[in-house]
Amino acid sequence: MNFENDCRFKRKLTKRGNCNTLSHQGLQDKQAEQNSVKDSYTTHNESVFQNPHHQQEENLTGLPIVTFKWHHVETPYLVIIWVFVAGLAKLSVVELNHHVISVVPESGLLIILGFILGGIVWGADRAQTFKLLPPTFFYYLLPQIILDASYFMPNKLFFSNLGAILIYAIFGTCWNAATVGLSLWGCYEAGVMGNLDIGLLQFLLFGSLIAAVDPVAVIAVFEEVHVNEVLFILVFGESLLNDGVTVVLYNVFDAFVALGGPRIDAAEIFKGIFSFVVVAFGGSFLGIGFAILLSLLTRCTKHIQIIEAGFVFVVGYLAYLTAEMLSLSAILSITFCGICCQKYVNANMDEKSVTTVRHAMKLLANGSETMIFLFLGVTAIDTEIWVWNTGFILLTLLFVFIYRIIGTFLFTWMLNKFRLVPIEVIDQVVMSYGGLRGAVAYGLAALLDEDKIPEKNLMISTTLIVVYFTVILQGITMKPLVQWLKVKRAAHSDLKLIEKLNNRAFDHILAAVEDICGRIGDNWWTRGWNRFEENYISWLLMKPKARKNRDYLFSIFHKLNLEDAINYVSEGERQGSLAFSRSDEAANVDFKKQFGSEFADVMPNIMVDMSNYELGIEHFSVTSIVKDTIPSVSLDIHGQDRKNAMDDINAHHLLQQHLYRSRKHQHRHKYSRSHFSINQNEDEVQEIFQRTMRSRLESFKSTKMGVNPAKKITKHHKKELTHKMPNGHPDGTGHLYGDEEVEGLCVFLPHLIEAGIENPVFLPDMDSPTHSPPWLMETEAVAPSQRAQRRLPWTPNRLRRLAPMRISTCSTDSFLMADVSLTLEEHEEHSQTDHVEM
Amino acid sequence: MGSRASSLLREEDIEEIKKETGFSHSQITRLYSRFHSLDKGENGALSREDFQRIPELAINPLGDRIINAFFPEGTNKKYTAREDQVNFRGFMRTLAHFRPVEDNEKNKDLTSGEPLNSRTNKLHFAFQLYDLDRDDKISRDELLQVLRMMVGVNISDEQLGSIADRTIQEADTNGDMCISFSEFTKVLEKVDVEQKMSIRFLH
């Protein structure tokens, strides 16, 4: 299998490293060096770096052409190799085991894979040289996952269930910590575990670190199960917040342990509780502070769009580290930073940056998650950490499981007295069963101080067993359980405008009814907050422009239209090459109507988004066609779809007609670190301008005359073409929406230019009802193509929504790509010559 | 106007309301005191002006529509004293739409007629907010009016028109460019109306 090969490769590498550098150093040196991502430079760099140089200098007899400098790159190299291995592991887990993955969750598989990898490393080195070290975990792997989780938190859902989440996260976690700790202590006192050197406080410390449900594990499992959204947010929100709580609890008990039992009095306990509150809320407020900072920052990054996406990560990480520095809860800090900033950041930033953030965030989080699970497995293959104590381990497993259930039912029972929609028993079962422990518990266990807690290794091994048990076993059984209990699943439905509209209406209705009843309820608070947010917070944190453009329903509408456009293009491509630009399929769409001139400035970005991100790679995007020079486009199309030579010719003509003159030499991408745009050429701007003006003139003329001047001249030719087209419908009868008026794109013209899109496909001016390319007017023989007036000869199944919206005004629909009103007129000669060429 | 007499809530009235709406005794008395305090004319019935005096309701974009919903079409003697007034029973009847569906009600057979807080009735309440002319259809114009109330001023009429068109398209199955109640129910079948159209009444 893939990963094994890779491991062998890696092992070789390690071995080579060993031979070259470490053979004369002790085993410990080697271990530490390979282990620690960070430490090796600080602790060993002298020896590591000097040795080879000495050797080289001694042996130097002439100028070396190539030297092998393993030491220079060792640490980053090992890190990157492990990242690479993790990537391959994920790949092999996902790709090679389709039927396995339907049973075992990915996280479990990764851990098992980690066992194998760990075994290989151990087999090679006779010791586990790679471990998940707490600093690595807490400083480099965890923050990304938490930031991702919070940045994509469904805010409305989260805040409407915030009460329940807080109860579970704070009281549930304390409950778990206390009961597990106390019960273990009780059993220990009863003599079940034999002779251990653990006191009550240590048991409570252990209880607190094992108490928290782990967000990483929970997300990994629950995402695959698709339970209903309330259940998901409860489990997820709880796991996110209780990590913060558990770390705080851990620190408090750690301090107690350090203080020693006898010196703890009421005052110290009170201080402990007080510090718990300060640390938790302080962290949260710090996070909110950073969120405000971030939002304000993105307000003024208009001119450095290229790096504004980076701010999200930097400030998020800064929130984490600052909280850590102030010994506040780092996890809560970064959580609230992400949750609070998302709305404003997304509104303020350029659409491209938003996409960048989204993808980068997912990339980092997924990568970290993979690393964490993999290393949880690798770490296990080590003889050093394993200490077995049947009583302690089994009892821990049992208590963790049982008290989770009891706690969930207890707190749900209390919550249900106040909830509008009570949490059902089935959901409670899933919630308690979803109490997966994960890397945070392990990280905390590994952080324990061996001087103060002699049984550290026992605790680590117990934690690992609990993690494996919950992630693998409970992970595997979760799906069958959910199915068996018939838990309400997430209703997976398409985004619908009418649903959103009604949700909005429902909110208003409920608020009104509460007013009528004279009751200050949830809706009253929600509305009050919304109003406050709208008036003050948005004003402070959002760009005026973004604020203006932001309307809930409109943004939904906008999103739907984008989706449609994307569907349209991909559907068109599935049906044949570039169906959307074929001359007989002029699907005309009206931007102006849909997006309005005030949104026009947003539009170019959207276009770029679509072609670059959604379609650009696999599909043949319009932008990419146009950026190429004409001949190569023709070839591309030709290569893509040989079955229809006619298409090629048509496309060729289309492009030649609608593209500006190709300016090969002035028209290159200029490398620029901060701009993506292609340098503009004055001639080109001129040309665009002229074309636009001509088309306007033309449209004016033709409307004035009321007829299409030269329709008949080329008619026969068009008919010929139509017959030749395999897919072509006979004259304009086969299409659904016959006489929509085509409306103009010229609004977008300047914006397109600004955005560096050179996509003349958008530019032929659609103001003209005759659809004739205006620049052909000089030769009086312009024939407005009949074909051009037909649109959507085929109706892709998924394009139901593309039906014209405004029947009443006979205008057409929202479409980005569609404005290709193609006209073949006047190309007889061209087509023939080209045909020959091809 | 006989205000004293009508302001007294008689036991049998309470019983009847209880049966009709499903509210508990204490909820009814609590809501009655609210009703009474809204009733500035002290005539045992609320007029539109009484509702409009509620400050928050005055700025609710759908406020007028919701007030309208308290005044049913056919003047039923039981609920309205006069055409433009609603008495306590009518008031309670409308509010009953927003009672959450309780567990023991879910499995109840529907022999006694559908309860007011059923999914269909909740949806119908929402539906009639749009349906101004009460012809059981939401036309484009009716939808546009509601949209205009709910969206900000930044959206132009044309955009709003497209939004309305699209919304109708999503729901419209028979192609008449209107949303009938059955289409409305169908298109919202995935929405958790029971939850989204309920508020908590204090017990």
Side-chain angles (χ1 to χ4, degrees):
Chain A
M1 277 199 332
N2 245 350
F3 55 87
E4 281 183 54
N5 284 341
D6 182 71
C7 288
R8 242 168 266 141
F9 161 68
K10 194 203 69 15
R11 183 163 37 139
K12 248 184 257 161
L13 218 152
T14 350
K15 274 196 172 160
R16 209 183 307 157
N18 293 346
C19 301
N20 285 336
T21 71
L22 304 166
S23 46
H24 41 263
Q25 294 178 8
L27 179 80
Q28 277 152 345
D29 264 358
K30 173 182 83 183
Q31 209 175 314
E33 185 182 310
Q34 288 178 337
N35 270 353
S36 52
V37 173
K38 314 178 312 119
D39 291 353
S40 67
Y41 274 105
T42 52
T43 53
H44 305 279
N45 52 3
E46 269 97 297
S47 59
V48 171
F49 278 95
Q50 279 164 14
N51 279 340
H53 283 294
H54 287 313
Q55 279 172 356
Q56 269 174 21
E57 280 158 22
E58 282 158 19
N59 302 339
L60 207 60
T61 50
L63 185 74
I65 294 172
V66 194
T67 47
F68 184 74
K69 296 180 179 175
W70 166 243
H71 299 289
H72 285 265
V73 295
E74 180 172 3
T75 308
Y77 208 98
L78 284 175
V79 171
I80 212 69
I81 282 291
W82 270 111
V83 172
F84 184 59
V85 170
L88 287 182
K90 179 125 180 160
L91 183 77
S92 55
V93 160
V94 174
E95 285 301 321
L96 300 180
N97 304 303
H98 279 302
H99 49 284
V100 181
I101 208 158
S102 59
V103 184
V104 188
E106 208 182 296
S107 45
L109 278 179
L110 282 171
I111 290 185
I112 294 169
L113 205 58
F115 291 155
I116 300 170
L117 285 177
I120 293 166
V121 174
W122 196 80
D125 290 353
R126 289 286 131 202
Q128 190 48 266
T129 41
F130 300 96
K131 280 191 224 172
L132 185 56
L133 294 176
T136 319
F137 173 71
F138 282 109
Y139 291 139
Y140 302 111
L141 295 176
L142 188 62
Q144 315 166 20
I145 295 179
I146 307 279
L147 184 63
D148 169 75
S150 57
Y151 191 78
F152 293 103
M153 178 71 77
N155 267 358
K156 194 178 174 215
L157 201 58
F158 178 76
F159 282 109
S160 58
N161 290 295
L162 187 62
I165 291 171
L166 283 179
I167 296 274
Y168 288 125
I170 296 175
F171 295 103
T173 307
C174 292
W175 156 268
N176 277 349
T179 49
V180 172
L182 288 175
S183 307
L184 281 175
W185 178 69
C187 294
Y188 167 69
E189 289 293 303
V192 185
M193 299 172 201
N195 206 7
L196 286 178
D197 187 10
I198 308 184
L200 172 62
L201 279 175
Q202 277 97 331
F203 271 117
L204 284 172
L205 179 62
F206 178 69
S208 70
L209 74 86
I210 204 87
V213 176
D214 185 65
V216 187
V218 164
I219 301 166
V221 169
F222 273 72
E223 254 179 10
E224 293 175 27
V225 185
H226 301 298
V227 293
N228 63 66
E229 52 179 19
V230 174
L231 180 56
F232 179 79
I233 201 74
L234 285 180
V235 178
F236 178 47
E238 178 201 351
S239 65
L240 201 56
L241 294 190
N242 76 4
D243 262 0
V245 174
T246 207
V247 173
V248 178
L249 215 56
Y250 172 88
N251 286 336
V252 170
F253 279 115
D254 198 35
F256 279 157
V257 169
L259 210 59
R263 281 167 46 199
I264 295 173
D265 50 17
E268 295 297 328
I269 291 175
F270 180 74
K271 262 158 73 183
I273 295 171
F274 187 66
S275 108
F276 177 88
V277 175
V278 168
V279 169
F281 284 89
S284 309
F285 284 118
L286 188 74
I288 294 172
F290 272 97
I292 293 172
L293 173 75
L294 180 55
S295 308
L296 287 174
L297 247 173
T298 51
R299 261 187 77 147
C300 38
T301 50
K302 194 170 172 233
H303 299 292
I304 48 159
Q305 272 175 14
I306 213 83
I307 62 161
E308 69 185 351
F311 281 124
V312 178
F313 298 94
V314 172
V315 175
Y317 196 41
L318 210 54
Y320 188 88
L321 290 182
T322 312
E324 190 70 44
M325 180 180 76
L326 300 174
S327 78
L328 299 174
S329 171
I331 296 177
L332 288 176
S333 170
I334 197 169
T335 303
F336 279 95
C337 179
I339 288 178
C340 296
C341 78
Q342 49 168 272
K343 180 176 174 184
Y344 311 104
V345 168
N346 281 339
N348 283 344
M349 282 197 312
D350 187 65
E351 201 140 343
K352 276 180 277 185
S353 310
V354 172
T355 315
T356 311
V357 169
R358 192 184 306 144
H359 286 242
M361 200 84 97
K362 288 289 169 208
L363 168 74
L364 289 173
N366 256 304
S368 303
E369 193 189 289
T370 311
M371 294 286 283
I372 288 173
F373 283 122
L374 200 67
F375 272 97
L376 275 179
V378 170
T379 311
I381 312 300
D382 187 5
T383 41
E384 274 180 35
I385 57 164
W386 287 106
V387 182
W388 190 264
N389 181 316
T390 319
F392 186 79
I393 291 173
L394 288 185
L395 280 172
T396 309
L397 269 179
L398 181 75
F399 289 141
V400 162
F401 190 69
I402 284 181
Y403 285 118
R404 167 81 189 169
I405 295 179
I406 296 177
T408 308
F409 275 81
L410 186 72
F411 290 110
T412 314
W413 177 76
M414 297 201 296
L415 277 171
N416 271 349
K417 301 200 150 194
F418 300 99
R419 276 181 74 88
L420 175 64
V421 183
I423 301 162
E424 289 171 30
V425 180
I426 291 174
D427 286 2
Q428 297 177 38
V429 173
V430 175
M431 273 180 71
S432 34
Y433 200 71
L436 308 179
R437 268 56 168 187
V440 173
Y442 169 75
L444 290 176
L447 267 184
L448 289 172
D449 187 352
E450 207 155 354
D451 299 335
K452 289 178 233 156
I453 295 141
E455 302 290 350
K456 176 187 175 186
N457 277 341
L458 176 62
M459 289 188 180
I460 293 184
S461 25
T462 312
T463 312
L464 279 176
I465 286 176
V466 171
V467 171
Y468 299 146
F469 181 84
T470 53
V471 171
I472 299 179
L473 282 183
Q474 285 181 213
I476 292 174
T477 44
M478 181 61 91
K479 219 182 216 169
L481 182 83
V482 166
Q483 276 158 0
W484 181 63
L485 288 173
K486 297 198 179 64
V487 175
K488 216 163 45 170
R489 300 295 192 93
H492 196 72
S493 64
D494 298 340
L495 186 68
K496 277 192 188 138
L497 206 53
I498 191 165
E499 285 181 4
K500 299 291 170 189
L501 170 67
N502 275 301
N503 285 347
R504 225 347 125 78
F506 292 158
D507 289 345
H508 287 308
I509 295 171
L510 292 190
V513 172
E514 277 192 356
D515 291 332
I516 290 170
C517 297
R519 190 175 162 263
I520 295 178
D522 303 344
N523 294 296
W524 189 88
W525 288 107
T526 317
R527 188 187 45 196
W529 165 254
N530 283 342
R531 202 165 291 157
F532 175 72
E533 201 257 7
E534 193 95 355
N535 289 344
Y536 300 104
I537 301 184
S538 290
W539 172 80
L540 179 69
L541 299 181
M542 240 185 237
K543 277 183 195 166
K545 208 180 84 193
R547 206 163 61 235
K548 188 171 160 248
N549 286 357
R550 192 177 56 97
D551 183 272
Y552 178 72
L553 282 173
F554 187 79
S555 65
I556 303 283
F557 179 63
H558 178 73
K559 212 189 280 173
L560 282 169
N561 280 332
L562 276 186
E563 256 174 38
D564 283 348
I566 291 160
N567 286 345
Y568 181 83
V569 173
S570 45
E571 190 91 2
E573 280 164 344
R574 215 174 301 134
Q575 303 222 348
S577 89
L578 288 173
F580 56 90
S581 65
R582 285 217 311 260
S583 58
D584 63 332
E585 290 171 351
N588 298 291
V589 173
D590 167 10
F591 285 107
K592 205 173 111 201
K593 279 273 158 61
Q594 302 299 329
F595 292 92
S597 46
E598 57 195 288
F599 291 87
D601 44 353
V602 188
M603 287 300 302
N605 303 333
I606 295 160
M607 292 177 193
V608 175
D609 274 355
M610 284 187 30
S611 47
N612 286 353
Y613 298 125
E614 311 288 349
L615 307 162
I617 300 152
E618 303 98 316
H619 306 286
F620 198 59
S621 82
V622 177
T623 326
S624 70
I625 300 169
V626 180
K627 276 178 187 161
D628 284 334
T629 53
I630 295 165
S632 74
V633 172
S634 296
L635 283 179
D636 271 355
I637 295 167
H638 199 74
Q640 266 214 338
D641 188 9
R642 285 171 193 284
K643 68 177 192 285
N644 192 346
M646 210 48 218
D647 274 1
D648 293 352
I649 297 165
N650 290 339
H652 192 118
H653 280 288
L654 152 73
L655 292 168
Q656 214 157 42
Q657 277 306 303
H658 293 238
L659 289 175
Y660 323 120
R661 217 154 295 131
S662 140
R663 295 178 179 82
K664 284 180 196 166
H665 301 294
Q666 305 141 359
H667 205 69
R668 295 268 173 246
H669 281 272
K670 197 164 90 185
Y671 174 77
S672 161
R673 199 178 288 266
S674 52
H675 296 289
F676 272 130
S677 61
I678 308 165
N679 44 334
Q680 285 289 325
N681 182 299
E682 276 194 19
D683 288 354
E684 194 177 301
V685 178
Q686 194 73 23
E687 188 181 336
I688 294 169
F689 175 73
Q690 281 171 0
R691 288 187 176 190
T692 317
M693 286 319 286
R694 268 193 228 133
S695 85
R696 289 216 168 131
L697 233 136
E698 158 63 13
S699 84
F700 174 71
K701 258 191 218 163
S702 55
T703 34
K704 209 174 174 186
M705 296 203 251
V707 262
N708 301 326
K711 204 167 188 170
K712 276 163 196 161
I713 297 178
T714 49
K715 201 175 178 180
H716 68 281
H717 174 66
K718 275 177 284 152
K719 274 204 171 149
E720 264 173 41
L721 282 180
T722 322
H723 291 310
K724 281 186 214 162
M725 300 279 241
N727 292 341
H729 281 255
D731 253 352
T733 51
H735 60 94
L736 293 172
Y737 315 110
D739 21 358
E740 299 94 342
E741 201 179 40
V742 185
E743 298 233 2
L745 265 184
C746 52
V747 187
F748 293 102
L749 199 65
H751 305 293
L752 287 171
I753 297 164
E754 249 173 52
I757 302 181
E758 295 171 284
N759 192 345
V761 176
F762 295 103
L763 298 177
D765 201 23
M766 307 311 271
D767 263 339
S768 142
T770 64
H771 308 285
S772 61
W775 51 92
L776 299 176
M777 273 308 284
E778 296 124 289
T779 74
E780 280 297 294
V782 171
S785 155
Q786 287 179 320
R787 229 170 281 120
Q789 295 190 0
R790 271 186 260 129
R791 40 212 70 100
L792 294 176
W794 42 267
T795 32
N797 343 340
R798 296 170 64 199
L799 292 182
R800 192 176 56 78
R801 286 188 234 135
L802 293 178
M805 289 184 186
R806 322 193 67 224
I807 296 279
S808 52
T809 53
C810 286
S811 77
T812 46
D813 199 353
S814 57
F815 239 2
L816 294 182
M817 294 303 168
D819 270 339
V820 203
S821 90
L822 301 183
T823 47
L824 284 184
E825 304 73 56
E826 217 226 7
H827 302 306
E828 295 90 339
E829 289 168 29
H830 279 288
S831 82
Q832 261 135 36
T833 48
D834 283 330
H835 207 166
V836 174
E837 277 169 25
M838 280 188 239
Chain B
M1 294 195 66
S3 62
R4 296 309 315 153
S6 59
S7 69
L8 289 171
L9 198 58
R10 286 173 305 167
E11 242 354 91
E12 56 261 39
D13 281 346
I14 293 181
E15 277 307 310
E16 243 176 277
I17 291 170
K18 218 162 144 182
K19 213 184 285 165
E20 185 179 30
T21 62
F23 282 116
S24 72
H25 193 285
S26 61
Q27 281 170 334
I28 294 173
T29 47
R30 182 175 284 111
L31 285 170
Y32 185 74
S33 68
R34 174 66 181 170
F35 179 83
H36 195 64
S37 73
L38 288 178
D39 181 16
K40 295 282 190 262
E42 303 220 326
N43 53 5
L46 298 181
S47 63
R48 280 171 210 267
E49 290 73 41
D50 287 326
F51 282 107
Q52 276 151 5
R53 262 193 292 272
I54 303 172
E56 294 292 331
L57 205 56
I59 52 170
N60 192 318
L62 294 179
D64 281 341
R65 298 295 180 100
I66 291 156
I67 293 171
N68 257 347
F70 279 86
F71 300 91
E73 177 85 332
T75 318
N76 189 331
K77 265 280 153 59
K78 250 165 50 175
Y79 309 124
T80 51
R82 288 208 326 255
E83 176 86 25
D84 54 348
Q85 295 208 317
V86 56
N87 67 10
F88 185 57
R89 282 191 65 173
F91 181 74
M92 291 303 283
R93 203 181 140 80
T94 309
L95 289 184
H97 287 94
F98 299 96
R99 214 162 50 80
V101 183
E102 277 154 31
D103 276 341
N104 51 14
E105 282 175 326
K106 273 184 188 153
N107 307 320
K108 215 168 81 176
D109 57 341
L110 299 173
T111 47
S112 57
E114 222 173 335
L116 284 169
N117 60 350
S118 72
R119 183 190 170 87
T120 318
N121 278 330
K122 282 176 193 290
L123 272 176
H124 198 260
F125 187 91
F127 183 79
Q128 61 172 354
L129 293 189
Y130 298 94
D131 185 20
L132 209 59
D133 56 8
R134 307 205 176 177
D135 64 348
D136 270 340
K137 268 182 185 161
I138 303 175
S139 68
R140 183 172 185 271
D141 281 342
E142 285 168 340
L143 187 62
L144 262 182
Q145 288 180 27
V146 176
L147 276 172
R148 184 37 87 201
M149 294 176 195
M150 293 198 341
V151 302
V153 284
N154 296 321
I155 311 290
S156 75
D157 285 340
E158 289 196 322
Q159 290 163 345
L160 213 60
S162 328
I163 294 181
D165 284 331
R166 177 156 202 152
T167 311
I168 289 182
Q169 238 173 21
E170 281 176 350
D172 188 21
T173 49
N174 59 7
D176 63 352
M177 293 316 275
C178 289
I179 305 175
S180 68
F181 183 59
S182 60
E183 285 166 347
F184 189 73
T185 323
K186 184 91 179 51
V187 79
L188 293 180
E189 68 186 345
K190 294 227 173 92
V191 178
D192 192 2
V193 181
E194 286 92 337
Q195 185 186 344
K196 285 183 174 152
M197 281 284 279
S198 300
I199 64 168
R200 259 167 22 88
F201 292 95
L202 290 175
H203 287 291

